Each structure stands twice: as structure tokens, then as C-alpha cells.
Amino acid sequence: MTHYYELYRRSSIGLALTDSLDELIKQDRITPQLAMKVLLQFDKSIAETLEHKVKHKATFKAGHLHTYRFCDEVWTFIIKNPNLKLEHESVPVDKIKIVACNSK
């Protein structure tokens, strides 16, 4: 059984979807149960799309491990001043957040 995490609900598209669903519920156009089904499908679709459609790779050399956490089988790392490369282009960033979940 594959688990789908709610990681992308806090992205701009996830927040827009959540706001739209909340508005539809307030207007009595959909039920909260239907909204939950839509969010679960969103989680599944985002995970599958990223796994099968994204071809670009990012690499980084760590700067300074600022924070790390392990909660509910999910690791979260915040790295400050990393050297980030997308394909062959260096991208200046102050920090990156890495969230790692068990895929099984």
C-alpha cells in the first residue's frame, strides 16, 4: 500500500485548492466529505506526477545543518547557505527545507 502525504497542500496550488473547496463548502455547493476526497486525490496526483513526469534533478552541497526533526515517520531538515544546482545552473538560496517520508 502506498502512502500519500499532505506535503503539497501548503504549496501555492494546494492552498488555492483548499481555499476554493472551503468556499464551495460555505456556499453549500459541496459537502465536507467530497472536499476531503478531492484533497486525497490531489495528494495522490501530485505525488504520482512528481514521480513519473519530472525529469530535472537538483543537487546541493550542504552549507550548515540548521535544524532537523523526526516526527510521525517524517524527517525534516533545514539547511542554511547550501550550494544548490538545478541541472547545470547554480541557484543562490539562503536555505532549503528537505522533507523525507517513507515511500512504502
Side-chain angles (χ1 to χ4, degrees):
M1 178 177 156
T2 303
H3 296 283
Y4 297 103
Y5 296 92
E6 300 173 6
L7 298 173
Y8 302 101
R9 291 186 189 181
R10 290 179 34 201
S11 66
S12 57
I13 191 170
L15 291 173
L17 175 61
T18 303
D19 288 347
S20 297
L21 292 171
D22 287 344
E23 188 63 31
L24 290 170
I25 291 168
K26 286 178 188 172
Q27 295 173 1
D28 288 326
R29 296 180 70 192
I30 65 170
T31 64
Q33 294 81 8
L34 179 57
M36 283 307 301
K37 285 183 181 181
V38 170
L39 286 173
L40 291 173
Q41 183 60 51
F42 172 76
D43 297 337
K44 180 179 176 184
S45 296
I46 287 287
E48 288 176 354
T49 298
L50 290 173
E51 181 179 354
H52 299 293
K53 302 281 183 182
V54 175
K55 303 295 183 208
H56 297 288
K57 298 198 186 265
T59 59
F60 71 93
K61 290 184 182 175
H64 171 73
L65 179 60
H66 181 264
T67 307
Y68 66 94
R69 261 178 241 136
F70 183 69
C71 182
D72 296 331
E73 300 293 319
V74 177
W75 279 102
T76 303
F77 302 93
I78 296 178
I79 304 191
K80 294 197 122 193
N81 301 315
N83 180 2
L84 182 66
K85 285 190 178 183
L86 301 174
E87 291 297 308
H88 301 290
E89 178 183 351
S90 289
V91 179
V93 292
D94 295 329
K95 65 182 175 181
I96 58 173
K97 180 178 182 179
I98 300 170
V99 180
C101 308
N102 188 349
S103 65
K104 296 181 181 180

